[in-house]
Amino acid sequence: MNANTTPETLAFTDGKLVLIDQTRLPGELVTLVCENVEQTHDAISRLVVRGAPAIGIAAAYGVCLASPANHEGYLAAIERLATSRPTAVNLFWALDRMKDVIQRTTADDDLAELLLSEAITIHDQDRQMCRDIGRHGASLLGDCRAVLTHCNAGGLATSMWGTALAPIYHLHQAGHPIEVFADETRPLLQGARLTAWELSQAGVPVTVLTDSMAGSLLKSGKIDAVIVGADRIAANGDAANKIGTYPLAVLARYHNVPFYVAAPSSTFDMALPTGDLIPIEQRSRTEVSNPHGTCVVPDAANVMNPAFDVTPAELITAIITERGVVTAPNPAKLTEHLR
Ligand SMILES: CSC[C@H]1O[C@H](OP(=O)(O)O)[C@H](O)[C@@H]1O
């Protein structure tokens, strides 16, 4: 995939973290600059930067903004950033890598350079992981003409190119005719706002549908495969992803449509035996009751707003990582794959 397929989601320049502000898309392509840990924590919590890999990379750079720039300051930064969002394991995977650097470095004055070097390595490795997921996923989607996806697991959710969308960019650039149907993904509309934006920018045909239309679309026979990202995958292959993914997997199975999960190895949490142990982020009621400031739910009513659900491994046709494809995932296969 050539470099200009999707924009760089984030960068660290002149000692500052520069983020595409994803809350402003698709109407405005603007950046938000984080100059300290608190601003980075806020950017992750408000989904200025979002998507499991992108959250991990942003948090790694956020540690580099710690003050004071010493062991205690950096460890406090890691502790603070770990409270930004609970579900995407990539956040904790990246922070653990930064903590390892601190713990194996004695001299404070070496730390700033070593930590920035580790954050840059995490960022660079993510680019390669996404590129490899694209290559491996393309082998699965090679006969597909129309795929359905949920939320945004594209370049904006990673360093660039994405996970679920990486195979689509790979095929599109190879001249393979493929179109994407994108669930709008209530309540924050990452599909309508972000997936449709980045695919359109790349020239990939995309159609937005409301989440409730997915069943009829799958019943129509038009969809050749469903492909989604993940925020945390347990040791048995159960996968947490944006709310609405689980019912999509049930519908795909009912209509005999392959259901693929694309994620780098940094999204696996092998310490969790099953997905029911994955922490699910509960977000504010206003995201559901007052979208864009318009009241659509009476104050007297209660509101649910879990940001993720868990798809059991038995509903997943295959998991695509940067290392290859695991069909019918189970603990033994995943342990071997990630060895
Ligand atoms: C490539 S991980 C993308 C993953 O993250 C999204 O959640 P959020 O937008 O809340 O960060 C969603 O679950 C995507 O599949």
Side-chain angles (χ1 to χ4, degrees), residues 63-146:
V63 173
C64 301
L65 298 174
S67 178
N70 59 25
H71 274 73
E72 292 72 27
Y74 287 126
L75 289 174
I78 288 171
E79 193 173 334
R80 176 61 177 152
L81 290 165
T83 67
S84 53
R85 294 186 75 189
T87 304
V89 72
N90 312 61
L91 168 69
F92 307 98
W93 168 83
L95 291 175
D96 283 347
R97 282 187 53 169
M98 302 299 278
K99 188 182 289 185
D100 288 347
V101 171
I102 298 168
Q103 289 173 340
R104 63 173 183 260
T105 307
T106 49
D108 273 354
D109 50 13
D110 296 342
L111 267 179
E113 184 180 346
L114 291 170
L115 285 168
L116 181 55
S117 173
E118 185 69 8
I120 291 168
T121 300
I122 289 169
H123 196 173
D124 289 342
Q125 287 174 344
D126 187 77
R127 288 189 186 89
Q128 187 58 50
M129 287 195 285
C130 292
R131 197 182 287 117
D132 291 342
I133 289 171
R135 186 162 44 83
H136 294 307
S139 67
L140 278 181
L141 299 182
D143 296 332
C144 295
R145 290 292 183 277

Side-chain angles (χ1 to χ4, degrees), residues 19-318:
L19 306 168
I20 288 179
D21 184 343
Q22 299 187 36
T23 67
R24 308 283 288 275
L25 286 172
E28 296 173 285
L29 178 56
V30 297
T31 56
L32 181 141
V33 177
C34 298
E35 298 183 279
N36 57 48
V37 170
E38 239 2 82
Q39 288 172 352
T40 307
H41 181 282
D42 178 66
I44 295 171
S45 299
R46 290 194 302 114
L47 280 71
V48 166
V49 60
R50 32 81 32 215
I55 289 171
I57 301 163
Y61 283 128
V63 173
C64 301
L65 298 174
S67 178
N70 59 25
H71 274 73
E72 292 72 27
Y74 287 126
L75 289 174
I78 288 171
E79 193 173 334
R80 176 61 177 152
L81 290 165
T83 67
S84 53
R85 294 186 75 189
T87 304
V89 72
N90 312 61
L91 168 69
F92 307 98
W93 168 83
L95 291 175
D96 283 347
R97 282 187 53 169
M98 302 299 278
K99 188 182 289 185
D100 288 347
V101 171
I102 298 168
Q103 289 173 340
R104 63 173 183 260
T105 307
T106 49
D108 273 354
D109 50 13
D110 296 342
L111 267 179
E113 184 180 346
L114 291 170
L115 285 168
L116 181 55
S117 173
E118 185 69 8
I120 291 168
T121 300
I122 289 169
H123 196 173
D124 289 342
Q125 287 174 344
D126 187 77
R127 288 189 186 89
Q128 187 58 50
M129 287 195 285
C130 292
R131 197 182 287 117
D132 291 342
I133 289 171
R135 186 162 44 83
H136 294 307
S139 67
L140 278 181
L141 299 182
D143 296 332
C144 295
R145 290 292 183 277
V147 298
L148 172 61
T149 192
H150 190 72
C151 198
N152 172 257
L156 289 167
T158 64
S159 52
M160 61 194 310
W161 296 312
T163 57
L165 297 189
I168 291 153
Y169 290 130
H170 186 104
L171 289 166
H172 176 73
Q173 283 190 8
H176 176 97
I178 190 163
E179 64 173 316
V180 177
F181 289 80
D183 282 348
E184 64 174 354
T185 315
R186 278 184 53 72
L188 295 181
L189 307 179
Q190 289 92 323
R193 294 188 302 108
L194 306 178
T195 292
W197 178 81
E198 68 169 84
L199 288 171
S200 303
Q201 293 285 311
V204 178
V206 54
T207 303
V208 174
L209 59 146
T210 66
D211 301 334
S212 53
M213 296 175 188
S216 301
L217 179 61
L218 286 164
K219 183 182 178 185
S220 74
K222 185 172 177 61
I223 300 297
D224 300 311
V226 178
I227 187 165
V228 299
D231 292 80
R232 192 182 302 222
I233 302 174
N236 69 340
D238 293 349
N241 196 52
K242 184 53 52 192
I243 190 77
T245 303
Y246 168 54
L248 202 54
V250 172
L251 286 165
R253 178 55 54 91
Y254 184 79
H255 293 291
N256 298 312
V257 175
F259 184 88
Y260 300 126
V261 173
S265 48
S266 51
T267 305
F268 287 78
D269 184 352
M270 299 305 277
L272 291 187
T274 61
D276 54 16
L277 299 170
I278 297 175
I280 300 299
E281 180 183 19
Q282 302 294 325
R283 294 188 63 88
S284 73
R285 67 169 279 141
T286 53
E287 292 178 353
V288 175
S289 64
N290 292 70
H292 314 294
T294 304
C295 180
V296 297
V297 177
D299 292 346
N302 299 316
V303 171
M304 298 170 64
N305 189 17
F308 302 97
D309 58 24
V310 177
T311 297
E314 67 198 63
L315 294 178
I316 299 173
T317 308

